[in-house]
């Protein structure tokens, strides 16, 4: 990402920050959801985009952040900030404990191992009295959408700046080396497991904070919404749509998908999910490297680009 | 120039319960090219894995005055023990220049730009191809790129595993000439080879390995005239 693009991005972020004073309530609520999803996608990008490891366990960190905040605020009457911190720390410890064994697995085996985590966590939290078991927890009500909006925006900016740093740092080079060829990375002195675990822990931090913000905003958490595996799928889709391993791709991708989904849902309600699926299938066929690849060079924007992608996909 | 850079004494190593290397002694002195030859299954690659600290080993291994045994692979790498792995193992979807950047990824000193110049001087072809994807190049160019990448780590000892593997003899000759240039810059090389002709044409000393043991060692002039070595590896003339 070059300097002009960075300046434009920061200006856009500053522009978005004014939305609570300009937009309607519906706009603000849509904005909070879109910003949180973009943060989740951007966090998923840290491991999934840079190392190519597809994680279905990020919704676990989201759930831990959600419950960390909810339990701290309802059971112990702690302030919101402390709740967020507790959720983030718990999620990071979980990422470390989970990452150390299963990030030694490669490729699809890692994805399979993470698939089970979400279900296990949901079962555990359904039986934890402190977490309200199956019923869930109700958080103190705060009607301040503008605050949640700014928090979500701030988190997305922080997460994106982290990804920007990764894309330029030696750490990011190591992650990309792992994606390109893990054995070769090893022979270049990259401790692949350590790099991957560090990436997962960073991702878990932002994911958990996003979960905590959402919990306080929606004022209610239960196991099914906290450990929602479809949320994880949406993170993956947003990143793949936008461009894995890029700084702006996941953000733009998730904004566009959020908007498409919202428009479809308001126009045709029930069939929205179906059409959403069609949009994703078309995107994967015609631009498998994501939006970022198209935006990077405008020369690519010819029919040849799309034909080449179809041919490479052997469709 | 007689300082030992790598000293191995009484090395035993293997995979789990299966021993592969037995009581192995090896010394590499600064500024020389030492080659390790042997047929398939002699234990050459196992030796390299033990040296790069990928598999556990017993005995003593000293690298540049420091005990090598307690180090992790990345620790050995950052101290200047750098491998050019068998089969190149390049990052195929990255350009030549990016591959070379990866070699320098653990360096903290500011000499990376200077290293680029030095390595491009050794491999002018890599400078021409620096924007090309490593995976799209010929086998010989890929081997050059792998060596260039390893040199970017500013190694004290360059360990090359099967440099000639799958390459045309003409290309192997080019690479051997570059090895001589590398030595002229004061670098030390441990060349592990099956192609004994190639290895002997460039090395100062050599070790011959069979079933996990060193069976012959000495200067090339001696080994090349050793009847046993001639029979087994160089082809007898009688």
């Amino acid at each position: 990402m070059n300097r002009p693009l960075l300046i434009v991005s920061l200006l856009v972020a500053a522009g978005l920050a004014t939305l609570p004073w300009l937009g309607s309530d519906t706009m603000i609520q849509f904005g909070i959801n879109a910003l949180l999803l973009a943060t989740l996608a951007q966090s998923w990008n840290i491991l999934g985009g840079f190392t190519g490891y597809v994680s279905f366990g990020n919704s676990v960190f989201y759930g831990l952040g959600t419950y960390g905040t909810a339990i701290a605020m309802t059971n112990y009457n702690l302030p919101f900030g402390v709740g967020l911190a507790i959720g983030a720390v718990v999620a990071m410890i979980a990422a470390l404990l989970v990452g150390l064994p299963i990030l030694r697995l490669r490729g699809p085996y890692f994805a399979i191992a993470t698939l089970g985590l979400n279900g296990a966590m949901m079962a555990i939290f359904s039986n934890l009295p402190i977490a309200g078991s199956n019923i869930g927890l109700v958080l103190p009500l705060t009607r301040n959408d503008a605050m949640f909006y700014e928090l979500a925006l701030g988190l997305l900016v922080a997460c994106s700046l982290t990804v920007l740093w990764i894309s330029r740092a030696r750490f990011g080079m190591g992650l990309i080396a792992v994606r390109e060829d893990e054995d070769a990375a090893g022979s270049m002195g990259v401790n692949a497991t350590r790099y991957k675990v560090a990436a997962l822990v960073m991702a878990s931090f932002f994911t958990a904070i996003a979960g905590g913000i959402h919990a306080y905003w929606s004022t209610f958490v239960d196991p099914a919404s906290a450990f929602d595996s479809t949320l994880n799928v949406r993170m993956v889709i947003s990143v793949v749509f936008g461009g894995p391993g890029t700084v702006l791709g996941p953000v733009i991708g998730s904004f566009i998908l959020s908007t498409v989904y919202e428009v479809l849902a308001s126009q045709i309600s029930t069939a929205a999910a179906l059409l959403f699926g069609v949009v994703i299938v078309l995107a994967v066929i015609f631009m498998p490297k994501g939006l970022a690849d198209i935006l990077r060079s405008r020369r690519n924007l010819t029919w040849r680009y799309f034909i080449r992608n179809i041919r490479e996909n052997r469709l | 120039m007689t300082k030992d850079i790598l000293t191995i004494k009484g090395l035993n190593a293997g995979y789990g319960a299966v021993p592969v290397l037995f009581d192995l002694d090896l010394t590499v002195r600064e500024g020389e090219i030492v080659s390790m030859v042997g047929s398939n299954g002699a234990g050459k690659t196992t030796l390299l894995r033990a040296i790069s600290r990928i598999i556990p080993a017993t005995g003593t291994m000293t690298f540049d005055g420091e005990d090598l045994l307690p180090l992790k692979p990345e620790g050995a790498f950052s101290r200047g023990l750098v491998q050019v792995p068998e089969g190149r193992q390049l990052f195929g979807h990255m350009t030549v220049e990016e591959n070379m950047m990866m070699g320098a990824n653990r360096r903290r000193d500011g000499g990376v730009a200077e290293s680029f110049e030095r390595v491009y001087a050794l491999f002018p072809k890599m400078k021409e191809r620096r924007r090309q994807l490593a995976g799209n190049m010929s086998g010989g160019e890929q081997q050059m790129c792998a060596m260039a990448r390893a040199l970017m780590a500013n190694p004290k000892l360059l360990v090359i595993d099967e440099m000639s593997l799958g390459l045309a003899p003409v290309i192997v000759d080019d690479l051997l000439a570059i090895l001589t240039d590398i030595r002229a810059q004061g670098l030390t090389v441990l060349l592990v080879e099956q192609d004994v002709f190639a290895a002997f044409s460039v090395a100062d000393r050599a070790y011959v390995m069979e079933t996990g043991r060193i069976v012959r060692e000495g200067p090339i002039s001696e080994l090349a005239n050793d009847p046993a070595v001639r029979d087994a590896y160089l082809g007898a003339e009688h």
Side-chain angles (χ1 to χ4, degrees), chain A residues 97-187:
Chain A
L97 293 180
V98 165
L100 279 175
I102 70 173
L103 274 171
R104 289 169 195 277
L105 301 172
R106 291 195 182 183
Y109 301 102
F110 170 76
I112 292 167
T114 56
L115 264 177
L117 286 173
N118 200 56
M121 274 297 171
M122 204 198 296
I124 291 172
F125 273 82
S126 302
N127 293 295
L128 269 186
I130 194 177
S133 301
N134 276 321
I135 302 148
L137 295 170
V138 178
L139 283 84
L141 187 67
T142 309
R143 290 195 60 84
N144 190 352
D145 280 0
M147 178 194 83
F148 289 115
Y149 180 88
E150 301 296 349
L151 272 177
L153 182 62
L155 185 65
L156 176 60
V157 170
C159 189
S160 298
L161 288 176
T162 307
V163 171
L164 176 64
W165 169 78
I166 290 173
S167 72
R168 291 175 172 188
R170 175 175 294 133
F171 175 64
M173 273 175 67
L175 294 181
I176 292 170
V178 168
R179 179 182 71 199
E180 295 299 323
D181 187 332
E182 197 157 338
D183 295 316
S187 72

Side-chain angles (χ1 to χ4, degrees), chain B residues 205-225:
Chain B
R205 290 190 305 120
Y207 290 81
V208 182
M209 208 169 164
E210 268 169 30
T211 59
R213 291 176 180 86
I214 302 281
V215 292
R216 286 279 190 290
E217 62 169 289
I220 296 300
S221 51
E222 237 172 68
L223 282 181
N225 292 317

Side-chain angles (χ1 to χ4, degrees), chain A residues 187-188, chain B residues 48-49 52 54 81-86 150 158-159 161:
Chain A
S187 72
M188 287 297 102
Chain B
L48 289 194
R49 289 174 145 228
S52 336
I54 294 167
L81 204 168
V82 177
Q83 240 195 76
V84 180
E86 181 179 345
L158 189 64
V159 182
D161 194 4

Side-chain angles (χ1 to χ4, degrees), chain A residues 51 86 107 110 169-170 181 216 225 235 238 241 253 263 271 280 305:
Chain A
T51 69
I86 292 173
F110 170 76
R170 175 175 294 133
D181 187 332
Y216 193 26
S225 66
M235 301 176 205
S238 301
F241 181 76
V263 170
I280 289 156
Y305 175 79

Side-chain angles (χ1 to χ4, degrees), chain A residues 8-20:
Chain A
V8 169
S9 310
L10 289 175
L11 285 177
V12 170
L16 285 175
T18 62
L19 187 101

